[in-house]
Amino acid sequence: MSAPEMSPLPLVELQAVSNAHNEWVALTFALPAEAGDVFQAALRLLKTPDVFAALAPLDCILPVSHPQLLEPSHLAGLPPSRVILRVSVAACADLTVQKKLAAHADAGYRLMLDGVADAGVASRCGAQSLMMDAAATLPPLLALVGQSGPHLATGMGSASRVAVCAKAGFSWFAGDYAHHPLPDGPVNDGTSCQRLLALLGLLARDADSHELEVLLRQDPALAYHLLKLVNSAAFALSSPIHSFGQAISVLGRRQLQRWLQLLLYARQQDDGPANPLLPLAAVRAAMMEVLAKAQGWDRDRQDMAFVVGVFSLLDQLLAMPMREVVAALSLDLDVVIALLERTGPLGQLLRLVERPSGAALEQAGITRQAYWEAQLQAYHWAIQVSRNI
């Protein structure tokens, strides 16, 4: 008798959790209703090879739908130091569930209660963290003080709301606030926008190194980040790089283009928080490239896919319509169509990365396994990029 065929891996949306400095600290697993038991679906993904190495050093927050059924065997092979079990407050009302969760806590797994628990429930469960949708309301002060944390505020739609929640005692944040940058940020003054677009234009037409160097000299913030990157542990150079010419030589043309495209998202005050759009742009770019390669596209098309991914958030970065951004650049027509209309092969791939679905994957000829592996590669690369820029 042949072995039963395994069902395809579930599609998952990995949602980033950041600290107050916009640095990624954890990932939550969001799965569609078709996945069935969300916890079991997440377990299947986490037990594929090299998952925790790819996502290091981030924690993985797993939703436990039925904590009364959770057994130690389910968690076998999962490193307690990297896993946080998220359980709804309603499910913790039962004393049997509280004892079961406390046993998992004693085994080293961290517990995060989804919602505000009655006094004593958190301690009986062994939970130290609270998670809640704080988009409009905040929990009672004692709810946060009574647990050591970190506490996670979800539903964050703006940097100002993150600041309010941080003041209230939250230290982890999730939501779409990265897509709503402050209107008065340093990247949005007119001169900076012009320099950014000029640099992008030079990169798009493969300008020579001297032209790039001239423009970099006019932008101290971008130049600073470029030199910081080249001298980081990512390149392990024997002696420090002090000039743009050296940096260009060390990186090489192709890598220079890629890093500069990402460095555009790193423009910030030297002592300010990281730009939350940076890792998102890195994930999109890497996923586009990996999936393009999986479809058998040649090296040039893979590079174009990378560009589409990294440029797809420029309208949000620059706070201007994408048509105006594209008009200032010398991009291939296929790239322009993808960015403006989400059509053509590149546009279809971008839509798939933005909103994956089983039907879209099937139409593109991409398996669930290939898509999950592309996600892991993309997040691994984005994590490394964020740590080196």
Side-chain angles (χ1 to χ4, degrees):
M1 178 183 296
S2 61
E5 184 179 352
M6 288 288 291
S7 60
L9 286 176
L11 278 177
V12 60
E13 181 184 355
L14 297 177
Q15 299 173 338
V17 174
S18 303
N19 61 20
H21 300 290
N22 294 333
E23 299 164 336
W24 284 4
V25 291
L27 293 169
T28 62
F29 285 61
L31 294 106
E34 67 184 44
D37 186 314
V38 175
F39 178 70
Q40 291 296 334
L43 278 186
R44 281 192 63 194
L45 295 170
L46 284 179
K47 291 190 176 182
T48 54
D50 302 320
V51 169
F52 287 98
L55 300 179
L58 305 188
D59 290 329
C60 295
I61 302 176
L62 303 187
V64 181
S65 307
H66 308 288
Q68 70 276 14
L69 304 177
L70 183 62
E71 300 296 337
S73 59
H74 295 143
L75 303 176
L78 301 185
S81 62
R82 299 282 304 285
V83 172
I84 298 176
L85 304 175
R86 175 170 65 84
V87 183
S88 71
V89 166
C92 296
D94 186 90
L95 287 175
T96 302
V97 170
Q98 292 175 12
K99 291 179 180 179
K100 184 179 285 284
L101 292 176
H104 293 305
D106 289 340
Y109 292 97
R110 289 166 291 166
L111 300 175
M112 177 177 284
L113 297 188
D114 189 350
V116 179
D118 293 335
V121 169
S123 60
R124 289 195 294 273
C125 291
Q128 296 297 324
S129 299
L130 176 152
M131 165 185 170
M132 70 167 286
D133 184 342
T137 59
L138 294 172
L141 178 62
L142 290 179
L144 298 181
V145 172
Q147 301 175 62
S148 61
H151 302 302
L152 169 58
T154 64
M156 299 293 95
S158 67
S160 59
R161 188 60 186 173
V162 169
V164 169
C165 291
K167 189 174 181 180
F170 288 97
S171 55
W172 286 8
F173 311 93
D176 65 352
Y177 67 96
H179 297 279
H180 306 285
L182 292 173
D184 56 349
V187 76
N188 290 314
D189 85 77
T191 303
S192 292
C193 281
Q194 290 176 8
R195 280 200 297 263
L196 280 170
L197 291 173
L199 179 58
L200 289 172
L202 290 177
L203 289 170
R205 66 178 176 83
D206 200 24
D208 64 43
S209 300
H210 176 71
E211 290 180 273
L212 293 172
E213 189 171 346
V214 168
L215 193 57
L216 282 169
R217 291 182 183 278
Q218 299 173 23
D219 198 320
L222 191 57
Y224 163 79
H225 285 293
L226 175 61
L227 291 177
K228 177 184 175 185
L229 167 67
V230 178
N231 285 302
S232 71
F235 292 93
L237 301 177
S238 57
S239 57
I241 298 297
H242 299 293
S243 73
F244 307 128
Q246 284 180 296
I248 292 170
S249 175
V250 167
L251 285 172
R253 295 287 306 180
R254 184 169 179 268
Q255 288 302 317
L256 173 67
Q257 284 192 319
R258 297 197 163 199
W259 284 107
L260 282 179
Q261 287 161 0
L262 286 167
L263 279 171
L264 298 174
Y265 290 90
R267 295 172 56 84
Q268 58 194 30
Q269 302 278 342
D270 290 348
D271 57 350
N275 188 326
L277 283 174
L278 169 62
L280 297 180
V283 165
R284 284 195 184 185
M287 278 203 71
M288 290 284 291
E289 181 184 27
V290 173
L291 292 175
K293 183 177 182 180
Q295 291 186 295
W297 294 3
D298 63 26
R299 184 65 171 270
D300 288 342
R301 296 289 288 177
Q302 292 173 36
D303 286 344
M304 290 171 68
F306 182 95
V307 169
V308 169
V310 78
F311 282 7
S312 64
L313 294 171
L314 279 181
D315 54 339
Q316 297 173 35
L317 176 74
L318 301 175
M320 59 192 296
M322 183 62 81
R323 286 192 176 276
E324 294 183 20
V325 175
V326 170
L329 307 176
S330 301
L331 299 173
D332 290 283
L333 180 59
D334 288 350
V335 173
V336 172
I337 292 173
L339 291 172
L340 294 181
E341 302 174 3
R342 299 300 195 266
T343 57
L346 289 168
Q348 292 171 1
L349 198 61
L350 178 58
R351 279 191 288 127
L352 179 62
V353 169
E354 291 175 325
R355 295 181 183 84
S357 70
L361 282 175
E362 185 175 350
Q363 183 178 5
I366 299 171
T367 66
R368 302 283 188 96
Q369 180 75 33
Y371 193 82
W372 173 237
E373 291 173 357
Q375 278 182 295
L376 289 180
Q377 290 183 53
Y379 273 87
H380 177 73
W381 193 69
I383 292 166
Q384 301 309 310
V385 166
S386 301
R387 297 176 73 184
N388 286 312
I389 290 183

